[in-house]
Amino acid sequence: MKKFLKRTLIVLVASLIIFIAIFHKRIILTYRLVNKYISLESSNMTSQKIDGLKMSKSMNYKDIIYKNTNGVPLTLDIYSSLKKDGNPSPVILYVHGGSWVYGDKSIPDALSPVLNTFREEGYTIICTSYELKRDKANFNKQVADVKDTIRWIYKNKSNYNLDPNEIGVIGVSSGAHLSLLASYSGNDEFTDDKVLSKYPSKPKYLIDFAGPTDLSLLNTSNLNYDLTRIFNSIKDKNTVIKKFNPINYVSKSIPNTLIIHSNLDPMVPYKSSKELYDKCIEEHSNVELITLKSSVHDLSSISNDDIISMSKGLLKFIILNSPL
């Protein structure tokens, strides 16, 4: 009995030492990257150049077709890790916004510096596309596209030296809505490509930039022609809202979530993110909320202060969910 207790104590002490060592390493890494980023942004601000590094100049693989299920080839871009140590690379997947109708997989200038910082630390950045709506709403297909991108990463982990157990997703606006649904739903939900459907679709963590979490809160009274046609195509709005509201999928087992939203957002009500945050707390999910102060939705006119606040929070969140 004494030997057993002694061995148990040794194991516990060893585990505690390992935990402290790892946690301490992440604190140091967070401090170093945050200071590095702030220095970079301060330099950019001095020269009145806030857009940071143009990631498109260092893309490794462009327009890789990850599936083609209905005559519309969908593609992704890969920005490989800049740290060549031979180890499988953690992945950050970017999902663009555009009201489900517009947009492309280009990385916003406001995100480029922080994503390049992670590439230097060993991350691979993947930007995906999804089938844009044309004549009618098709949330089911778009969510399946995002999930199939994650499944593609699992399927092609050896080809690109990727670690599928270390996938984080960043979604902006409508891309955040689709990312929330893709990340919170089960592996067997929202399938499209038959081959890819055999692979897992769960990321480790998720960063939600102003994603609609309750479609009933959206103001659809002053939409442009394209969006009016899309929303008018929805006959049973209650059923659509129930199935495609990310807040309805919240449980204790969802990926760790960081929510970033301006309380002055003119397009998606801040209330949407606050309700998601409250629901996650209620379900004992791991969630954080960063509130921005500038009147911005798509990061295109974000203030310098909010860039710093957003990036520091994003850096810390990813590192604490990181294998580094």
Side-chain angles (χ1 to χ4, degrees):
M1 186 66 178
K2 288 183 177 180
K3 286 185 177 181
F4 174 76
L5 291 174
K6 184 177 180 180
R7 288 176 180 173
T8 302
L9 182 60
I10 291 172
V11 170
L12 289 175
V13 171
S15 299
L16 181 61
I17 291 173
I18 292 172
F19 173 79
I20 292 173
I22 293 173
F23 195 68
H24 179 71
K25 177 184 176 183
R26 291 183 180 180
I27 291 175
I28 296 298
L29 182 59
T30 301
Y31 180 80
R32 180 167 62 82
L33 291 187
V34 167
N35 280 336
K36 176 182 177 182
Y37 182 81
I38 291 176
S39 298
L40 174 63
E41 283 304 300
S42 297
S43 174
N44 284 339
M45 289 174 192
T46 301
S47 63
Q48 296 184 345
K49 184 179 180 182
I50 311 300
D51 58 358
L53 303 174
K54 296 291 186 180
M55 289 190 68
S56 59
K57 295 180 179 178
S58 57
M59 187 186 301
N60 298 91
Y61 303 94
K62 181 176 175 59
D63 293 333
I64 297 174
I65 297 176
Y66 69 90
K67 72 172 184 178
N68 186 347
T69 53
N70 61 351
V72 180
L74 294 177
T75 62
L76 54 83
D77 300 333
I78 299 178
Y79 301 81
S80 299
S81 164
L82 299 176
K83 188 176 184 180
K84 306 301 181 183
D85 57 8
N87 295 321
S89 172
V91 178
I92 296 176
L93 171 64
Y94 171 73
V95 184
H96 72 84
S99 302
W100 303 281
V101 180
Y102 312 109
D104 60 49
K105 52 185 166 46
S106 303
I107 296 176
D109 291 338
L111 282 177
S112 293
V114 70
L115 292 181
N116 267 320
T117 297
F118 278 106
R119 289 180 70 200
E120 292 172 357
E121 295 299 325
Y123 277 75
T124 293
I125 312 299
I126 296 180
C127 308
T128 193
S129 61
Y130 50 87
E131 188 172 337
L132 299 177
K133 295 179 182 179
R134 291 305 178 212
D135 300 317
K136 61 181 181 179
N138 194 358
F139 290 124
N140 200 85
K141 174 64 165 58
Q142 292 181 316
V143 178
D145 292 344
V146 177
K147 287 182 81 75
D148 277 349
T149 302
I150 299 173
R151 293 168 176 137
W152 182 92
I153 294 171
Y154 274 88
K155 180 176 183 291
N156 291 275
K157 60 182 181 180
S158 298
N159 295 335
Y160 298 95
N161 198 30
L162 306 174
D163 186 349
N165 296 314
E166 299 292 342
I167 300 173
V169 179
I170 296 179
V172 176
S173 187
S174 57
H177 168 257
L178 301 177
S179 297
L180 286 163
L181 286 167
S183 301
Y184 288 2
S185 56
N187 284 323
D188 58 347
E189 297 181 89
F190 298 108
T191 59
D192 181 43
D193 185 281
K194 291 182 179 180
V195 174
L196 293 176
S197 67
K198 301 173 184 177
Y199 294 87
S201 61
K202 280 284 187 181
K204 184 178 182 181
Y205 58 89
L206 167 69
I207 298 164
D208 157 27
F209 281 96
T213 68
D214 182 349
L215 298 178
S216 67
L217 294 177
L218 293 177
N219 182 358
T220 59
S221 59
N222 294 306
L223 301 176
N224 63 24
Y225 174 79
D226 291 328
L227 289 173
T228 298
R229 183 174 57 174
I230 294 297
F231 279 93
N232 285 344
S233 73
I234 302 174
K235 305 304 179 184
D236 187 351
K237 289 183 171 57
N238 290 331
T239 298
V240 169
I241 287 173
K242 182 178 180 181
K243 183 175 182 181
F244 298 107
N245 269 3
I247 200 167
N248 294 336
Y249 291 79
V250 173
S251 70
K252 187 177 180 179
S253 62
I254 61 172
N256 296 345
T257 303
L258 172 63
I259 305 167
I260 303 175
H261 202 157
S262 169
N263 56 9
L264 299 175
D265 191 326
M267 296 183 65
V268 177
Y270 175 75
K271 179 182 178 182
S272 179
S273 286
K274 185 61 170 62
E275 287 186 354
L276 175 63
Y277 175 79
D278 291 341
K279 179 67 173 179
C280 289
I281 294 296
E282 179 185 326
E283 295 292 332
H284 304 289
S285 309
N286 192 330
V287 64
E288 296 178 38
L289 173 62
I290 296 176
T291 301
L292 305 180
K293 301 296 191 294
S294 51
S295 180
V296 63
H297 174 70
D298 62 357
L299 304 180
S300 61
S301 58
I302 188 170
S303 70
N304 295 343
D305 288 342
D306 275 346
I307 287 178
I308 296 296
S309 174
M310 171 194 78
S311 300
K312 286 170 65 176
L314 192 151
L315 281 164
K316 292 176 182 177
F317 178 79
I318 294 179
I319 290 171
L320 288 176
N321 286 280
S322 169
L324 302 180

